[in-house]
Amino acid sequence: MGLVTEMNSQLGQRLKDNLQQHLDCTAVLQSTLEEEHRALTANDAETLLRVTQTKAAAAENLRALGDDLMRLRRDGNFASVDAMFEAVPDAATLSQQWNEILELATECHTANRRNAAVLDVRQTQVRAALEVIFPTQSAQTYGRTGYSGGPVGTRSFGLA
């Protein structure tokens, strides 16, 4: 019985460490997404470049932490993360930390979608501006007979 208790205690410590790292990293990601939004709305390309690198590193850290958590679950043959928490001492604290992580992850997802929407609008604006400067199709008109005539006004502003 002592071996099982010791194994559960070790698992509990590993889970506690992993979840704390998850919380720390998710908090960094959340603040990074807020900074990214400020940079997007301020058209601050330098900050945006730096923030994008920080965001990518945080996402990679979270992926690695998630892989570690799933490995612990798989190695212990637990049906779910909750079942794994229930098998160790201080399960209530671990469950609380897990719920905090899930809440932060939801906030990060929402912030990331908001930033993606800003980027989508910017992309549409840039494409529209490029279409004015470098048209890909000429305007269609009708000739005297009612049929579509040749292109009119095909001069590109970019070549003027």
Side-chain angles (χ1 to χ4, degrees):
M1 193 68 171
L3 180 61
V4 171
T5 302
E6 177 63 26
M7 288 176 58
N8 285 349
S9 179
Q10 289 176 0
L11 175 62
Q13 187 58 50
R14 290 179 68 187
L15 286 171
K16 189 181 223 180
D17 293 344
N18 182 285
L19 293 182
Q20 187 58 55
Q21 290 175 29
H22 258 98
L23 276 171
D24 295 343
C25 191
T26 306
V28 166
L29 182 59
Q30 182 184 34
S31 66
T32 301
L33 288 165
E34 290 169 6
E35 187 176 2
E36 180 182 50
H37 185 73
R38 287 189 299 273
L40 284 169
T41 57
N43 293 321
D44 185 349
E46 186 177 315
T47 298
L48 192 58
L49 179 61
R50 180 182 46 77
V51 167
T52 299
Q53 293 169 345
T54 303
K55 183 172 97 170
E60 177 58 28
N61 287 342
L62 283 171
R63 186 203 56 75
L65 288 167
D67 288 349
D68 290 345
L69 188 63
M70 290 305 106
R71 190 174 307 106
L72 288 172
R73 182 180 151 226
R74 188 178 52 249
D75 291 350
N77 236 3
F78 295 104
S80 67
V81 172
D82 290 331
M84 184 169 53
F85 294 159
E86 292 170 6
V88 298
D90 208 13
T93 302
L94 294 176
S95 291
Q96 181 183 358
Q97 282 184 307
W98 182 245
N99 288 330
E100 288 176 40
I101 292 166
L102 294 177
E103 287 175 25
L104 276 173
T106 300
E107 291 173 17
C108 288
H109 179 72
T110 301
N112 197 48
R113 289 177 56 102
R114 176 191 63 192
N115 293 349
V118 171
L119 287 169
D120 285 345
V121 167
R122 294 278 169 80
Q123 182 180 32
T124 300
Q125 291 169 338
V126 168
R127 285 188 179 170
L130 286 173
E131 183 64 29
V132 168
I133 297 170
F134 302 107
T136 56
Q137 295 181 344
S138 59
Q140 294 294 316
T141 61
Y142 290 99
R144 292 183 200 165
T145 61
Y147 294 103
S148 177
V152 175
T154 59
R155 184 171 170 184
S156 173
F157 289 113
L159 301 174

